[in-house]
Every structure is written in C-alpha cells, then in structure tokens.
Amino acid sequence: MDIVVCIKRVPATDTAIKIAADGKSIETNGVSFEMNAYDEFALEQALLIKEQLGEGTVTALTIGPSLAQKVMRDALARGADKAVVLTTDEWIYDGAQVAQALATYLQANPAQIVLCGKQAVDSDNNQLAGNLAARLGFGCVTEVTKLELADGTFTAERDIEGAREVVTCKTPAVISCNKGLNQPRYANLKGIMKAKKKPLEEAAADLPAAAMEIVSLELPPARADGRIIGEGVDAVPALIEALRNEAKAI
Amino acid sequence: MSIAGPVRATLPCNMARRIDTYLESLIDEDKFAFYEAVRDFGDAEIAPHLLGWEREHQLVPDSCIRAMGDLGLFGLPIAEEHGGQGGDHTDLCLMGLALGYHSQSVAITPGAAISLGAKPVQLFGTDEQKKAHLPALANGERMFVFGLSEPGRGSDAANPQVTAIRQGDKWVINGEKCWSTNARWASHVVVHALTAPDAPNGKRSTCFIVPMDAPGVFYQEMQGKKVWEQSSTGSIMFENVEVAHDQILGAENGGFKVMVTTLNGGRLFIAALALSSLAFALDKCRIYAEERIQFDEKPIGRFQRVQDVIVDMDIALERGLTWLAHSCKLFEAGKLSRESAAKLKVDCSRSASDLVSLGMEICGGVACFDEFGLIRHHNDLFVTRVGEGSNFALKDLIVRPLRK
C-alpha cells in the first residue's frame, strides 16, 4: 500500500506576521518555518497505517521553495520512506493551483491513500482534500478524528455540528486529518541519522496559471483597550446599551 | 505546533533562544535537528507541567519517563546493535541542554541513567552483560543506578566503606550507598565496594552489578532535598547481599578505573546542565529587562548595570558552549584529560551560578517566585557545583600538572 502525505511548510505558529513591502505577501525574513501542525497528524496516521499493514511506503510530498527540504527531512526523520519537493519560488495562495500540481505528480506516481491536514494554519484555505480527490477521482473524507482501515475500506469518524458522523470509504481515497486523530511522534536521533540516507527528490512543480490573485493583504486592526462600564446590577443597562449600539454584538 | 501543545512558551514571537543561535554554528545539521526535536519535546511535554510537579513535590512522573524512553533518550549513546540510538557524547550533552533549559531534574533523569548507568556497562561490560542489559537500558525499560557516594565517603570515593568479601564463586556485600540519582526507578545498582583493603590506592575496589530486588537490598528516597526536586535521590542499604562472580563490572579490583572513567563523561553532562540553566536565565532576564518599565516610562534594559549582567551571561554562555562542544569531541576521541573535564565543569557551574544570582538581582522580587523559573535554576545550579566531584575537590586534580 503506497501512502502519500501532503505536507505544507508554514511559518511557525508563534510568528508575529508582518506584511511585505509589496502589500500582497508576508515578510519571510527572520521567520522560522515548520511542518503545518495538522499535517503532523496526517504523517503520523500514514506511519500508523504502514505499521498496521506491515508493508507499503510512506512518501512525504510538498510544494514550495527548495528551503522546504528542512521540513521534508523532519518527515523522513519521523519515519517517512521518501520525500519529494515540487519546487516553485512562487508564494501560492490559490488552492486549486496547489491541488492541480499535486494531482499531476500523483497521476504519474500513483498512491492508494493520500493523507493531508484538514487545513494549513497559515492561509486556512481548507481546500486541498476535496480539490485533490476530485482531480484524481478518489473518494474523500475530511476532518477525520478517528480512522480505521480493514480490507481496503476506511471507517472514518468526523465531528459535525452537534454530532459525530461515521463514514466508510473505499481506497483509493484522500483523507484530511483533524486534531484528536492521533498523537504525532517526535523524531528520535536514530530517525534523524537514517533520514540522511533516505531519498529526498526535487522536481519543478507543474503549476497551472493561478485563477486567483491576492490584491492586498492587511493585518487585522489592533484591538481597542477594554473599558469598565460600571459595577454591579446598576451597570447592566449601560452594558446592554454598549453591546447593542457600540459593539453591535447583540 | 500550537494546536498540539504550547511552544517557545518563554519567548516572545520571532525571538530565538540565544543558545539555539550558538549551537546552530557549533554542531552539524543533524545534531542540531536532534537538539530541536528534544527542545520541542521539552516545550510541549515538560514545560507546561513543571510548576504542577514542583508544587505537588512530585518526582518526574512515570508517563514522562516513558515518553522520554519512546523518544529514545535513554539509549542515546548505546550502539544500534544493542538497541540504542548510536549517538555520541555530543548528543547526550545536547539532550542535557535541551531538557535542562526547563528543568535540570528532568534532564538528569535520562542523563544519569545513561552516563552513570548504561555507559559503564557499554565501556566495561562483558559481551554477556551487554547483551543482558543494554537493549532494556536503551529503551528505558530498565535503569541502572551508580552506587558510589556513601554517608562517610564523598570526595574520598576511592576508598569505599561498603565491602564485598569473596566466598567461593560469589561475593557478599555490606554497607550503605547514598546520593544515588534515579534510585526510585532503578532495576539494578552498580556497587563500588572495597575488595582489597591492603592494595595500593586506586586498586582496592571492584564494581558489581546488583539487582535492586536481590535479597538484602533496601532502598529509601532521601527526604528534604530542595534541589533537583523532581529527580530521585536514593539511599541504598546492603545487608549480606550475595552476588555471583560474573556480575563484576570491569576487572576485579579495577573499580576505581570504572568509577573515574564514568565520572569523566558525567562531568561534561553536568557542565551542559549548568549551561542550560544559564541559557534559560539569559533569555528570561533579557526579555524582562525590555519589558520592565521604570523611570520615565522606559525599560530597565537601558541601564548599563543591567546590560553588564546580561552581556556577561551571554559571554559565559557562548564560551561554555564552545568549550563543551570541543570537549565532547575530545572525549569521543579518547583524548580528554581528567583535568580538562574537571576544568570545564568547574568553570561552567561557577559562572552559571554567579551570573544567575546576578540575573535574579536585576529582575528583583519577581525572581523569588517559582512561576518565574529563575529560582528553580538558581537552586539546581548548586548541584552542578558539588555534583560529580565538588568544585573544590576537583581543583586538587586540576592543580596537579601545574605543580610538577
């Protein structure tokens, strides 16, 4: 069973984002990058499936600059067998563009299971799983919090509004992973040393033209200071008034 | 990863730990990746729980020891053929730096298990002893504790009061060991015992591998310790404990060599712990100095006397890390003298202790509180001055080549 995990290199989640001079992208100088946190669940699940089956390969796949090799090394150190960087220097925001480039690779290098995080924590597009499955003609289950595989069929659980949905899906399939699915492992020293000897390939990304363009990028407005309206029951009418007319929250 | 656990909890956004900046240039890419993995583990699995463990006066929980075992930390320098990670002494010290940044107590748990427990078996064990113990030591299922110090023998450890007397194929051990790190979790104790009282100094003792559940072995946790509070420190009694002759570690009457070689590597680890505390204090103080506003609505970091302390911490950290990285390479090549290992430990523990005290002084009253973190490192740094050879005793060793 060949499993591919789609991984995105994202700014560390504690980064204070600054807008670049072009007003359309973020400043990357001084920013450290890491594996998208939801993709860590996807990678862990891929490793668990391989361990369960006792055979198969796990390939970590990303699209981005050559600098993404560092994140791919991390994936190899945790246990992936092979990593591929589809290189581009473009900062891609268009989810369809990413899905098409990954689909092109997957059509040439078929896999039975494709796992990814439910979304990337930088652009929060939440598009890849469905977009990719449609292009590949695969089944798709998103935002999975429990996953079991038996006889080529997944049984997946996903949290929906006020309930938990149980879905079955035959392979080949694209599954997007949510927090709670598993506890991602850390790379150990042996894994890091072994990672050096594992294949890490680069190929130019076959990117279609973008259908979407970022026109401008702005930071959210600074939050205003809090204000004490009054104390005790007497202050309630003024509080309601402020919530209704100033904050327009009720 | 913010959704799975907090990261870099002690630093504001986009601010790298000063220690990371230095290490990245001192060690190769793989070693730095390993350091980063242990650092991230410490940030997510240790830092958020530490205050709770301290306030509950709790030792490192079993779940944390298991997690460190899963990460392979107990098998770092053990060869892959024996189930270890195949690392070296630099890796061991990197683990000390990464975990010690939050807590020396946590770092010393795998640290002592390796450098005082597994390492002597790896260096002096017979093939049978290695096969019997190293795989379980490497994955953290088994832990060896080093029985060296005694109530009446600290710096004078070459002449133990614990005795082992030969009776045919076996030996009978009597006496008491104390200050044994990790005793709470130990499966075996390596006992350094007097076996040839009339032999020349350095050839009087032998090391024995003794199971902690052997008849006549009694363990008790030492109470009232206010340093390394999450680390187990035990007193171990031996009453007519019988040990087979093939459980000798190293040569008969060669215990001193086992002890000295073991401690040499251990001293580098203690230096790493001292530097880890200094690294934490440096980050804490430099951030606080920029956040603490006093006089004219400006931060205290503008005062030169405050800057002096921070700059001296930074100098000592870079100097210590550079020296440590160099010493680890010499140790691996078998070229590190006992004097050099001692000098590194003396200098790092002394500098870190002095500077962390000064750092607390520039922070003022807030440094008294456990949640600020500095008082933990201040107290733990005392251990680095007196542990694995007290600094005063080690100066006797250091002065020898100067007096020839």
Side-chain angles (χ1 to χ4, degrees), chain A residues 133-212:
Chain A
R135 286 160 206 270
L136 294 171
F138 283 17
C140 182
V141 189
T142 56
E143 306 197 9
V144 166
T145 52
K146 189 174 176 189
L147 190 66
E148 284 169 3
L149 174 65
D151 303 326
T153 300
F154 284 113
T155 303
E157 292 186 16
R158 50 198 304 275
D159 292 328
I160 56 172
E161 192 73 31
R164 173 162 284 215
E165 189 176 57
V166 180
V167 182
T168 60
C169 175
K170 284 188 168 34
T171 57
V174 180
I175 310 277
S176 82
C177 304
N178 201 352
K179 184 182 181 181
L181 178 62
N182 53 46
Q183 182 65 41
R185 68 192 72 185
Y186 293 89
N188 63 22
L189 180 63
K190 204 174 352 182
I192 290 166
M193 301 307 283
K194 277 186 182 166
K196 274 195 300 192
K197 294 173 185 162
K198 292 179 179 175
L200 200 171
E201 296 169 6
E202 272 196 8
D206 189 0
L207 277 173
M212 189 183 89

Coordinates of all heavy atoms in Angstrom, one line a residue, chain A residues 133-212:
Chain A
A133 N -9.0 15.2 -4.4 CA -9.8 14.0 -4.7 C -10.6 14.0 -6.0 O -10.7 13.1 -6.7 CB -10.7 13.7 -3.5
A134 N -11.2 15.2 -6.2 CA -11.9 15.4 -7.4 C -11.1 15.2 -8.7 O -11.5 14.6 -9.7 CB -12.6 16.8 -7.4
R135 N -9.9 15.8 -8.6 CA -9.0 15.7 -9.8 C -8.5 14.3 -10.0 O -8.2 13.9 -11.1 CB -7.8 16.7 -9.6 CG -8.2 18.1 -9.8 CD -7.2 19.1 -9.2 NE -7.8 20.3 -8.9 CZ -7.9 21.4 -9.7 NH1 -7.4 21.3 -10.9 NH2 -8.6 22.4 -9.3
L136 N -8.3 13.5 -8.9 CA -7.8 12.2 -9.0 C -8.9 11.1 -9.2 O -8.6 10.0 -9.5 CB -7.0 11.8 -7.7 CG -5.7 12.6 -7.5 CD1 -5.1 12.2 -6.1 CD2 -4.7 12.2 -8.6
G137 N -10.1 11.6 -8.9 CA -11.3 10.6 -9.0 C -11.3 9.7 -7.8 O -11.7 8.5 -7.9
F138 N -10.7 10.1 -6.7 CA -10.7 9.3 -5.4 C -11.9 9.6 -4.5 O -12.5 10.7 -4.7 CB -9.4 9.7 -4.6 CG -8.1 9.1 -5.2 CD1 -8.0 8.6 -6.5 CD2 -7.0 9.0 -4.3 CE1 -6.8 8.0 -6.9 CE2 -5.8 8.5 -4.8 CZ -5.7 8.0 -6.1
G139 N -12.1 8.7 -3.6 CA -13.1 9.1 -2.5 C -12.4 10.1 -1.6 O -11.2 10.3 -1.7
C140 N -13.3 10.7 -0.8 CA -12.7 11.7 0.1 C -13.5 11.8 1.4 O -14.7 11.8 1.4 CB -12.8 13.1 -0.7 SG -12.1 14.5 0.3
V141 N -12.8 11.9 2.5 CA -13.4 12.1 3.8 C -12.5 13.2 4.4 O -11.3 13.2 4.4 CB -13.4 10.9 4.7 CG1 -14.2 11.2 6.0 CG2 -13.9 9.7 4.0
T142 N -13.2 14.3 5.0 CA -12.5 15.4 5.5 C -12.6 15.5 7.0 O -13.6 15.0 7.6 CB -13.0 16.7 4.9 OG1 -14.4 16.8 5.1 CG2 -12.7 16.8 3.4
E143 N -11.6 16.2 7.6 CA -11.6 16.5 9.1 C -11.9 15.3 9.9 O -12.7 15.3 10.8 CB -12.6 17.6 9.3 CG -12.4 18.8 8.4 CD -13.0 20.1 8.9 OE1 -13.6 20.1 10.1 OE2 -13.0 21.1 8.2
V144 N -11.1 14.3 9.7 CA -11.3 13.0 10.4 C -10.6 13.0 11.8 O -9.5 13.4 11.9 CB -10.7 11.9 9.5 CG1 -10.5 10.6 10.2 CG2 -11.5 11.7 8.2
T145 N -11.4 12.5 12.8 CA -10.8 12.4 14.1 C -10.6 10.9 14.5 O -10.0 10.7 15.6 CB -11.7 13.1 15.1 OG1 -13.0 12.6 15.0 CG2 -11.7 14.6 14.9
K146 N -11.1 10.0 13.8 CA -10.8 8.6 14.0 C -10.8 7.8 12.7 O -11.7 8.1 11.9 CB -11.9 8.0 15.0 CG -11.5 6.6 15.5 CD -12.5 6.1 16.5 CE -12.2 4.7 16.9 NZ -13.2 4.1 17.7
L147 N -9.9 6.9 12.5 CA -9.7 6.3 11.2 C -9.3 4.8 11.4 O -8.3 4.6 12.1 CB -8.7 7.0 10.4 CG -8.6 6.7 8.9 CD1 -9.9 7.1 8.2 CD2 -7.4 7.4 8.3
E148 N -10.1 3.9 10.8 CA -9.7 2.5 10.8 C -9.7 2.0 9.4 O -10.6 2.4 8.6 CB -10.6 1.7 11.7 CG -10.4 2.0 13.2 CD -11.5 1.4 14.1 OE1 -12.4 0.8 13.6 OE2 -11.4 1.6 15.3
L149 N -8.8 1.1 9.1 CA -8.7 0.5 7.8 C -8.8 -1.0 7.9 O -8.0 -1.6 8.7 CB -7.3 0.9 7.2 CG -7.0 0.3 5.8 CD1 -8.0 0.8 4.7 CD2 -5.6 0.7 5.4
A150 N -9.7 -1.6 7.1 CA -9.8 -3.0 7.1 C -10.2 -3.4 5.7 O -11.2 -2.9 5.1 CB -10.8 -3.5 8.1
D151 N -9.5 -4.4 5.0 CA -9.9 -4.9 3.7 C -10.1 -3.8 2.7 O -11.1 -3.8 1.9 CB -11.1 -5.8 3.8 CG -11.0 -6.9 4.8 OD1 -9.8 -7.4 4.9 OD2 -11.9 -7.2 5.4
G152 N -9.2 -2.8 2.7 CA -9.3 -1.7 1.7 C -10.4 -0.7 1.9 O -10.7 0.1 1.0
T153 N -11.1 -0.8 3.0 CA -12.1 0.2 3.3 C -11.8 0.9 4.6 O -11.5 0.3 5.6 CB -13.5 -0.5 3.4 OG1 -13.8 -1.2 2.2 CG2 -14.6 0.5 3.7
F154 N -11.9 2.2 4.5 CA -11.8 3.1 5.7 C -13.1 3.2 6.4 O -14.2 3.4 5.8 CB -11.3 4.5 5.4 CG -9.9 4.6 5.0 CD1 -9.5 4.9 3.7 CD2 -8.9 4.4 6.0 CE1 -8.2 5.0 3.4 CE2 -7.6 4.5 5.6 CZ -7.2 4.8 4.3
T155 N -13.1 3.2 7.8 CA -14.2 3.7 8.5 C -13.6 4.9 9.3 O -12.7 4.8 10.0 CB -14.6 2.6 9.6 OG1 -15.0 1.4 8.9 CG2 -15.9 3.1 10.3
A156 N -14.3 6.0 9.0 CA -13.8 7.3 9.5 C -14.8 8.0 10.3 O -16.0 7.9 10.0 CB -13.4 8.2 8.3
E157 N -14.4 8.7 11.4 CA -15.3 9.5 12.2 C -14.9 10.9 12.0 O -13.7 11.2 12.0 CB -15.3 9.0 13.6 CG -15.8 7.7 13.9 CD -15.9 7.3 15.3 OE1 -15.8 8.2 16.2 OE2 -16.1 6.1 15.6
R158 N -15.9 11.8 12.0 CA -15.7 13.2 11.9 C -16.7 14.0 12.7 O -17.9 13.6 12.8 CB -15.7 13.7 10.4 CG -16.9 13.2 9.6 CD -16.6 13.3 8.1 NE -16.2 14.7 7.7 CZ -17.1 15.6 7.4 NH1 -18.4 15.4 7.5 NH2 -16.7 16.8 7.0
D159 N -16.2 15.0 13.3 CA -17.1 15.8 14.2 C -17.9 16.8 13.3 O -17.3 17.5 12.5 CB -16.3 16.7 15.2 CG -15.6 15.7 16.2 OD1 -16.2 14.7 16.5 OD2 -14.5 16.1 16.7
I160 N -19.2 16.7 13.4 CA -20.0 17.7 12.7 C -20.8 18.5 13.7 O -20.8 18.1 14.9 CB -21.0 17.0 11.6 CG1 -21.8 16.0 12.3 CG2 -20.2 16.5 10.5 CD1 -22.9 15.4 11.4
E161 N -21.6 19.5 13.3 CA -22.3 20.3 14.3 C -23.1 19.5 15.2 O -24.1 18.9 14.8 CB -23.2 21.3 13.5 CG -23.7 22.4 14.3 CD -22.7 23.5 14.7 OE1 -21.7 23.7 13.9 OE2 -22.8 24.1 15.7
G162 N -22.7 19.4 16.5 CA -23.5 18.7 17.5 C -23.6 17.2 17.4 O -24.4 16.6 18.1
A163 N -22.8 16.6 16.5 CA -22.9 15.1 16.4 C -21.6 14.6 15.8 O -20.7 15.4 15.5 CB -24.0 14.8 15.4
R164 N -21.5 13.3 15.8 CA -20.3 12.7 15.2 C -20.8 11.8 14.1 O -21.6 11.0 14.2 CB -19.6 11.9 16.3 CG -18.5 11.0 15.7 CD -17.5 10.6 16.8 NE -16.6 11.7 17.3 CZ -15.4 11.5 17.6 NH1 -14.9 10.3 17.7 NH2 -14.6 12.5 18.0
E165 N -20.2 12.0 12.9 CA -20.6 11.3 11.7 C -19.6 10.1 11.5 O -18.4 10.3 11.6 CB -20.5 12.3 10.5 CG -21.1 11.7 9.3 CD -21.1 12.8 8.2 OE1 -20.0 13.3 7.9 OE2 -22.2 13.1 7.7
V166 N -20.1 9.0 11.1 CA -19.3 7.8 10.8 C -19.4 7.5 9.3 O -20.6 7.4 8.8 CB -19.7 6.6 11.6 CG1 -18.8 5.4 11.3 CG2 -19.6 6.9 13.1
V167 N -18.3 7.5 8.6 CA -18.3 7.4 7.1 C -17.5 6.2 6.7 O -16.4 5.9 7.3 CB -17.7 8.6 6.5 CG1 -17.8 8.6 5.0 CG2 -18.4 9.9 7.0
T168 N -17.9 5.4 5.7 CA -17.0 4.4 5.2 C -16.6 4.9 3.8 O -17.3 5.6 3.1 CB -17.6 3.0 5.1 OG1 -18.7 3.1 4.3 CG2 -17.9 2.5 6.5
C169 N -15.4 4.5 3.4 CA -14.8 5.0 2.1 C -13.8 4.0 1.6 O -12.9 3.5 2.4 CB -14.2 6.3 2.4 SG -13.3 7.0 0.9
K170 N -14.0 3.6 0.4 CA -13.0 2.6 -0.2 C -11.8 3.3 -0.7 O -11.8 4.5 -1.0 CB -13.7 1.9 -1.4 CG -14.7 0.8 -1.0 CD -15.1 0.1 -2.3 CE -15.9 -1.2 -2.0 NZ -16.8 -1.2 -0.9
T171 N -10.7 2.6 -0.7 CA -9.5 3.2 -1.3 C -9.6 3.0 -2.8 O -10.3 2.1 -3.2 CB -8.2 2.4 -0.8 OG1 -8.3 1.0 -1.1 CG2 -8.0 2.6 0.7
P172 N -9.0 3.8 -3.6 CA -8.1 4.9 -3.2 C -8.9 6.1 -2.7 O -10.1 6.3 -3.1 CB -7.4 5.3 -4.5 CG -8.4 4.9 -5.6 CD -9.1 3.7 -5.1
A173 N -8.3 6.8 -1.7 CA -9.0 7.9 -1.1 C -8.1 9.0 -0.6 O -6.9 8.7 -0.4 CB -9.8 7.4 0.1
V174 N -8.7 10.2 -0.5 CA -7.9 11.3 0.1 C -8.6 11.6 1.4 O -9.8 11.7 1.5 CB -8.0 12.6 -0.8 CG1 -7.3 13.7 -0.1 CG2 -7.4 12.4 -2.2
I175 N -7.8 11.6 2.5 CA -8.4 11.8 3.8 C -7.7 13.0 4.4 O -6.5 13.1 4.4 CB -8.0 10.6 4.8 CG1 -8.4 9.3 4.1 CG2 -8.7 10.8 6.1 CD1 -9.8 8.8 4.2
S176 N -8.5 14.0 5.0 CA -7.9 15.1 5.7 C -8.1 14.9 7.2 O -9.1 14.4 7.6 CB -8.4 16.4 5.2 OG -9.6 16.8 5.8
C177 N -7.0 15.2 7.9 CA -6.9 14.8 9.3 C -7.1 16.0 10.3 O -6.5 17.1 10.0 CB -5.5 14.2 9.5 SG -5.2 12.8 8.4
N178 N -7.8 15.7 11.3 CA -8.0 16.8 12.3 C -7.3 16.5 13.6 O -6.9 15.3 13.9 CB -9.6 16.9 12.6 CG -10.0 18.2 13.2 OD1 -9.2 19.0 13.5 ND2 -11.3 18.4 13.2
K179 N -7.3 17.5 14.5 CA -6.7 17.3 15.8 C -7.5 16.2 16.6 O -8.7 16.2 16.5 CB -6.7 18.6 16.6 CG -6.0 18.5 17.9 CD -6.1 19.8 18.7 CE -5.4 19.6 20.0 NZ -5.5 20.9 20.8
G180 N -6.8 15.3 17.3 CA -7.5 14.3 18.1 C -7.4 12.9 17.4 O -7.6 11.9 18.0
L181 N -7.0 12.9 16.1 CA -6.8 11.7 15.4 C -5.7 10.8 16.0 O -5.9 9.6 16.1 CB -6.5 12.0 13.9 CG -6.3 10.8 13.0 CD1 -7.6 9.9 12.9 CD2 -5.9 11.2 11.6
N182 N -4.7 11.4 16.4 CA -3.5 10.6 17.0 C -2.6 11.6 17.7 O -2.9 12.8 17.8 CB -2.8 9.9 15.9 CG -2.4 10.8 14.8 OD1 -1.8 11.9 15.0 ND2 -2.6 10.4 13.5
Q183 N -1.6 11.1 18.3 CA -0.5 11.9 18.9 C 0.7 11.8 18.1 O 1.4 10.8 18.1 CB -0.3 11.4 20.4 CG 0.7 12.2 21.2 CD 0.2 13.6 21.5 OE1 -0.9 13.8 21.8 NE2 1.1 14.5 21.3
P184 N 1.1 12.8 17.3 CA 2.2 12.7 16.5 C 3.5 12.4 17.3 O 3.7 12.9 18.4 CB 2.3 14.1 15.8 CG 1.0 14.7 16.0 CD 0.4 14.1 17.2
R185 N 4.4 11.6 16.7 CA 5.6 11.2 17.3 C 6.7 12.3 17.0 O 6.5 13.1 16.1 CB 6.1 9.9 16.8 CG 6.5 9.9 15.4 CD 6.7 8.4 14.8 NE 5.4 7.8 14.7 CZ 5.3 6.5 14.3 NH1 6.4 5.7 14.1 NH2 4.1 5.9 14.2
Y186 N 7.7 12.3 17.9 CA 8.8 13.2 17.7 C 9.9 12.4 16.9 O 10.0 11.2 17.0 CB 9.4 13.7 19.0 CG 8.5 14.6 19.8 CD1 7.6 14.1 20.7 CD2 8.6 16.0 19.6 CE1 6.8 14.9 21.4 CE2 7.7 16.8 20.3 CZ 6.8 16.3 21.2 OH 6.0 17.1 21.9
A187 N 10.8 13.1 16.2 CA 11.9 12.4 15.6 C 12.9 12.1 16.6 O 13.1 12.8 17.5 CB 12.5 13.4 14.5
N188 N 13.4 10.8 16.6 CA 14.5 10.5 17.5 C 15.8 10.5 16.8 O 15.9 10.7 15.6 CB 14.2 9.2 18.2 CG 14.2 8.0 17.3 OD1 14.7 8.0 16.2 ND2 13.6 6.9 17.7
L189 N 16.9 10.3 17.5 CA 18.2 10.5 16.9 C 18.5 9.5 15.8 O 19.0 9.9 14.7 CB 19.3 10.3 18.0 CG 20.7 10.4 17.6 CD1 21.0 11.8 17.0 CD2 21.7 10.1 18.7
K190 N 18.0 8.3 16.0 CA 18.2 7.2 15.0 C 17.5 7.6 13.7 O 18.0 7.5 12.6 CB 17.7 5.9 15.5 CG 18.4 4.7 14.8 CD 18.1 3.3 15.4 CE 17.3 3.1 16.6 NZ 17.1 1.8 17.0
G191 N 16.3 8.1 13.9 CA 15.5 8.6 12.8 C 16.2 9.7 12.0 O 16.2 9.7 10.8
I192 N 16.7 10.7 12.7 CA 17.4 11.8 12.1 C 18.6 11.3 11.3 O 18.8 11.8 10.2 CB 17.8 12.8 13.2 CG1 16.5 13.5 13.8 CG2 18.7 13.9 12.6 CD1 16.8 14.3 15.0
M193 N 19.4 10.4 11.9 CA 20.5 9.9 11.2 C 20.1 9.1 9.9 O 20.7 9.2 8.9 CB 21.4 9.0 12.1 CG 21.9 9.7 13.4 SD 22.7 11.2 13.0 CE 24.3 10.6 12.5
K194 N 19.1 8.3 10.1 CA 18.6 7.5 8.9 C 18.1 8.4 7.8 O 18.1 8.0 6.6 CB 17.5 6.5 9.4 CG 18.0 5.2 10.0 CD 16.8 4.3 10.3 CE 17.3 3.1 11.0 NZ 16.2 2.3 11.5
A195 N 17.5 9.5 8.2 CA 16.8 10.4 7.2 C 17.8 10.8 6.2 O 17.4 11.1 5.0 CB 16.2 11.6 8.0
K196 N 19.1 10.9 6.6 CA 20.1 11.4 5.6 C 20.3 10.5 4.5 O 20.7 10.9 3.4 CB 21.5 11.4 6.4 CG 21.7 12.7 7.1 CD 23.2 12.9 7.5 CE 23.7 11.7 8.4 NZ 25.0 12.0 9.0
K197 N 20.0 9.2 4.7 CA 20.2 8.2 3.7 C 18.9 7.9 2.9 O 18.9 7.1 1.9 CB 20.7 6.9 4.3 CG 22.1 7.1 4.9 CD 22.5 5.8 5.6 CE 23.9 6.1 6.3 NZ 24.1 5.2 7.4
K198 N 17.8 8.5 3.2 CA 16.6 8.3 2.5 C 16.5 9.2 1.3 O 17.0 10.4 1.4 CB 15.4 8.5 3.4 CG 15.3 7.4 4.6 CD 14.1 7.8 5.5 CE 14.0 6.7 6.5 NZ 12.9 7.0 7.5
P199 N 15.8 8.8 0.3 CA 15.7 9.7 -0.9 C 14.8 11.0 -0.7 O 13.7 10.9 -0.1 CB 15.0 8.8 -2.0 CG 14.4 7.7 -1.2 CD 15.1 7.5 0.1
L200 N 15.4 12.1 -1.0 CA 14.7 13.4 -1.0 C 14.9 14.0 -2.4 O 15.9 14.5 -2.7 CB 15.3 14.3 0.1 CG 14.5 15.4 0.6 CD1 15.1 16.1 1.8 CD2 14.1 16.4 -0.4
E201 N 13.8 13.9 -3.1 CA 13.8 14.3 -4.5 C 13.3 15.7 -4.7 O 12.4 16.2 -3.9 CB 13.1 13.4 -5.4 CG 13.6 12.0 -5.4 CD 12.7 10.9 -6.0 OE1 11.7 11.4 -6.5 OE2 13.0 9.7 -5.9
E202 N 13.8 16.4 -5.7 CA 13.2 17.7 -6.1 C 12.8 17.6 -7.6 O 13.5 17.0 -8.4 CB 14.2 18.8 -6.0 CG 14.3 19.4 -4.6 CD 15.0 20.7 -4.6 OE1 15.4 21.2 -5.6 OE2 15.2 21.3 -3.5
A203 N 11.6 18.2 -7.9 CA 11.2 18.3 -9.3 C 10.5 19.6 -9.4 O 9.8 20.0 -8.5 CB 10.3 17.1 -9.7
A204 N 10.6 20.2 -10.6 CA 9.9 21.5 -10.8 C 8.4 21.3 -10.7 O 7.9 20.3 -11.4 CB 10.3 22.1 -12.1
A205 N 7.7 22.1 -10.0 CA 6.2 22.0 -9.9 C 5.6 22.3 -11.2 O 6.0 23.3 -11.9 CB 5.7 22.9 -8.8
D206 N 4.7 21.5 -11.6 CA 3.9 21.7 -12.9 C 2.7 22.5 -12.5 O 1.6 22.0 -12.3 CB 3.6 20.4 -13.5 CG 3.0 20.6 -14.9 OD1 2.9 21.8 -15.3 OD2 2.7 19.6 -15.6
L207 N 2.9 23.9 -12.4 CA 1.8 24.7 -11.9 C 0.9 25.3 -13.0 O 1.5 25.9 -14.0 CB 2.4 25.9 -11.2 CG 2.8 25.7 -9.7 CD1 3.5 27.0 -9.2 CD2 1.6 25.4 -8.8
P208 N -0.4 25.1 -12.9 CA -1.3 25.8 -13.9 C -1.3 27.3 -13.5 O -0.8 27.7 -12.5 CB -2.6 25.2 -13.6 CG -2.6 24.7 -12.2 CD -1.1 24.4 -11.9
A209 N -1.8 28.1 -14.4 CA -1.9 29.5 -14.1 C -2.9 29.7 -12.9 O -3.9 29.0 -12.8 CB -2.5 30.3 -15.4
A210 N -2.6 30.7 -12.1 CA -3.5 31.0 -11.0 C -4.8 31.6 -11.4 O -4.8 32.4 -12.3 CB -2.8 31.9 -10.0
A211 N -5.9 31.1 -10.8 CA -7.2 31.6 -11.1 C -7.5 32.8 -10.2 O -8.4 33.5 -10.3 CB -8.2 30.6 -11.1
M212 N -6.7 32.8 -9.1 CA -7.0 33.8 -8.0 C -5.8 34.7 -7.8 O -4.6 34.2 -8.0 CB -7.3 33.0 -6.8 CG -7.8 33.7 -5.6 SD -8.0 32.6 -4.2 CE -6.4 32.7 -3.5

